[in-house]
Amino acid sequence: MRRKYICGNWKMNKTSSEALEFAKTINEFEFNEVDVLLAPSFVTLESLRKNLKDEIKVAGQNVSQFDDGAYTGEVSTSMLKDIGVDDVIIGHSERREKFLESDEIVNSKVKKALADDLSVILCLGESLEIKEAGKEVDFVREELLNSLDGVENIEKVTIAYEPIWAIGTGKTCSSEDAEKMCRGIRNAIDEKYGEISQKTRILYGGSVKPSNTGEILSMENIDGVLVGGASLKASDFIEIIKAGENL
């Protein structure tokens, strides 16, 4: 059985002092049946890692495909590794749409992260326009295969399916539709990589909140959640973790 994975993406929210207040609260909460990860801003990463209990991992929200050099504003894999960060989110729809990261750029980042022994949460998802055209299944499949082009081993890759139209909008993809898409993603992984598809964790993201987490996580092919806004409040994030614990 795949262990449930509860991940919070803080995006561009929380100062370092606010992050430490969050850490104080969540450190008091005991959990045993799920894995938990938080992705704060880069300026908060090191202090949060040092002040969170060991059971909670921290991740970069992005990473450069380059080793080092004249890339103002970028953060390398070695910089993450040096402060004890072993996980990174790659290909979030906001990176793809707002910062124009193509499948090719995402692919190069995935390859770089894996080569340097980082675990990757690879994000996929379709826009409302694509969904309304009935092309979402083909789009997400192509996005998956393009993003993993030339990647031979996905042992350290987690997939996060986030329909773009449901991120931060209050709209949630129905559990059945999310399950259908995640099952399709697993089938595509199986075709490309074989049996490891049964071990690959697939998360759902998009307006996840305490009230709908239990239903989402009850689906056969949904192994966790990637939470945005509801991960910013410690009490809400704890309730989401509890939903995973209670399955």
Side-chain angles (χ1 to χ4, degrees):
M1 181 179 292
R2 296 177 296 270
R3 186 174 168 91
K4 298 298 185 185
Y5 201 7
I6 310 300
C7 303
N9 177 18
W10 286 355
K11 307 185 181 184
M12 197 175 71
N13 292 290
K14 289 195 181 297
T15 62
S16 290
S17 58
E18 290 169 340
L20 294 182
E21 284 299 314
F22 184 104
K24 289 179 184 178
T25 301
I26 200 167
N27 281 345
E28 296 175 357
F29 175 63
E30 298 295 330
F31 59 88
N32 301 291
E33 304 301 323
V34 301
D35 293 330
V36 177
L37 173 147
L38 287 169
S41 70
F42 283 125
V43 297
T44 306
L45 263 176
E46 185 171 15
S47 61
L48 188 64
R49 185 195 61 75
K50 289 179 177 178
N51 286 278
L52 277 174
K53 60 184 179 179
D54 292 340
E55 292 87 344
I56 302 175
K57 298 193 292 184
V58 295
Q61 295 178 13
N62 184 33
V63 72
S64 175
Q65 66 269 48
F66 304 109
D67 285 319
D68 51 33
Y71 303 104
T72 300
E74 292 294 287
V75 171
S76 69
T77 55
S78 61
M79 292 174 182
L80 294 179
K81 296 285 289 185
D82 189 60
I83 60 170
V85 174
D86 296 316
D87 298 79
V88 65
I89 297 172
I90 296 177
H92 192 281
S93 63
E94 290 160 4
R95 297 297 313 177
R96 292 178 186 265
E97 289 202 318
K98 297 178 180 179
F99 298 95
L100 306 181
E101 291 190 4
S102 63
D103 285 348
E104 290 74 21
I105 291 174
V106 170
N107 176 243
S108 65
K109 291 185 175 189
V110 171
K111 288 177 177 176
K112 179 60 177 167
L114 293 177
D116 291 346
D117 202 31
L118 288 174
S119 294
V120 171
I121 297 175
L122 171 63
C123 297
L124 311 169
E126 80 282 5
S127 66
L128 183 60
E129 181 181 14
I130 291 170
K131 177 178 171 58
E132 290 180 340
K135 299 179 180 178
E136 67 270 25
V137 175
D138 289 340
F139 177 86
V140 171
R141 177 186 173 84
E142 182 177 2
E143 194 172 50
L144 170 71
L145 295 177
N146 288 342
S147 298
L148 293 176
D149 184 43
V151 175
E152 297 182 359
N153 189 343
I154 60 164
E155 182 179 351
K156 300 190 75 170
V157 176
T158 296
I159 305 297
Y161 168 61
E162 295 192 300
I164 296 170
W165 49 270
I167 298 174
T169 64
K171 298 179 181 179
T172 306
C173 180
S174 73
S175 298
E176 292 76 16
D177 285 347
E179 163 65 15
K180 179 180 178 181
M181 185 66 81
C182 291
R183 184 170 61 247
I185 291 170
R186 196 174 306 283
N187 289 340
I189 294 172
D190 183 67
E191 291 172 15
K192 182 175 175 66
Y193 295 100
E195 293 183 1
I196 198 171
S197 64
Q198 299 307 309
K199 297 180 180 179
T200 302
R201 291 195 286 195
I202 302 176
L203 316 180
Y204 170 78
S207 296
V208 176
K209 45 189 178 289
S211 60
N212 63 19
T213 301
E215 182 179 354
I216 292 168
L217 292 179
S218 70
M219 299 292 106
E220 180 181 357
N221 286 285
I222 299 178
D223 308 308
V225 287
L226 182 56
V227 188
S231 70
L232 295 174
K233 188 175 179 181
S235 58
D236 285 346
F237 195 57
I238 287 170
E239 290 303 312
I240 290 171
I241 296 171
K242 285 181 181 178
E245 288 270 288
N246 293 333
L247 290 176

